[in-house]
């Protein structure tokens, strides 16, 4: 609940992508994060294996494009390899509810549910996401 913006996201990214990252929860509610900040965080979280909760509620600068980036983080359906390499650790992604983005949110929630069900087994989570995506495409 401060004024974290794009520059702040760059600093956080360095902490999140480091090999020594141990942060399990990150609450960034009511800040000044926009789609550029989301892009920075998403890139950092691609290889992060510890963060389970990311709260971004109250960041009015996150548009549909930012939500799509967050969906790709937890289930990148651009290829089977990309789906297998998605983030399988994140279990909770707290965003504001926007009616226009219900479909995106539904897919984010499904990917997070798979992460929870896989109980930390990223290989299993990746395989389930690939199967789920192929069955529903």
């Amino acid at each position: 609940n401060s004024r974290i913006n794009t520059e702040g996201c760059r600093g956080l990214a360095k902490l999140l992508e480091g090999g020594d990252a141990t942060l399990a929860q990150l609450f960034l509610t009511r800040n000044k994060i926009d789609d550029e900040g989301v892009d920075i965080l998403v890139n950092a979280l691609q290889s992060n294996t510890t963060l389970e909760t990311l709260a971004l509620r109250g960041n009015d600068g996150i548009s549909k494009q930012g939500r799509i980036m967050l969906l790709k983080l937890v289930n990148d359906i651009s290829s089977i390899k990309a789906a297998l390499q998605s983030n399988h650790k994140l279990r909770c992604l707290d965003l504001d509810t926007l009616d226009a983005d219900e479909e995106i949110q539904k897919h984010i929630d499904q990917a997070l549910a798979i992460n929870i069900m896989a109980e930390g087994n990223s290989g299993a989570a990746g395989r389930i996401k690939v199967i789920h995506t192929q069955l529903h495409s």
Side-chain angles (χ1 to χ4, degrees):
N1 191 5
S2 61
R3 300 290 168 237
I4 296 173
N5 58 16
T6 302
E7 280 307 308
C9 289
R10 283 190 180 92
L12 287 169
K14 290 177 184 171
L15 297 171
L16 292 170
E17 60 193 4
D20 297 332
T22 58
L23 192 64
Q25 299 178 333
L26 183 56
F27 294 91
L28 298 173
T29 54
R30 293 187 297 269
N31 282 285
K32 302 286 184 194
I33 298 172
D34 59 10
D35 292 343
E36 185 179 357
V38 168
D39 187 43
I40 292 164
L41 293 173
V42 163
N43 286 331
L45 290 171
Q46 288 291 345
S47 59
N48 182 285
T49 58
T50 61
L51 194 71
E52 294 183 358
T53 300
L54 177 59
L56 293 170
R57 190 174 294 273
N59 288 283
D60 297 334
I62 300 175
S63 72
K64 181 176 183 176
Q65 187 60 38
R67 289 170 179 272
I68 291 170
M69 286 184 257
L70 290 164
L71 172 57
K72 284 185 76 171
L73 170 67
V74 293
N75 192 12
D76 185 345
I77 63 168
S78 62
S79 69
I80 291 174
K81 182 178 180 181
L84 291 171
Q85 293 175 340
S86 295
N87 180 299
H88 306 303
K89 186 65 175 181
L90 206 57
R91 294 168 168 246
C92 177
L93 184 51
D94 188 24
L95 297 165
D96 291 313
T97 303
L98 302 175
D99 292 338
D101 298 332
E102 279 184 21
E103 191 69 19
I104 296 168
Q105 189 62 48
K106 181 180 95 172
H107 290 294
I108 290 172
D109 292 344
Q110 288 171 343
L112 296 174
I114 291 169
N115 288 356
I116 292 167
M117 183 178 63
E119 297 179 344
N121 184 335
S122 62
R127 289 188 297 275
I128 294 167
K129 288 176 186 178
V130 167
I131 292 167
H132 180 79
T133 301
Q134 294 302 314
L135 290 175
H136 295 95
S137 61

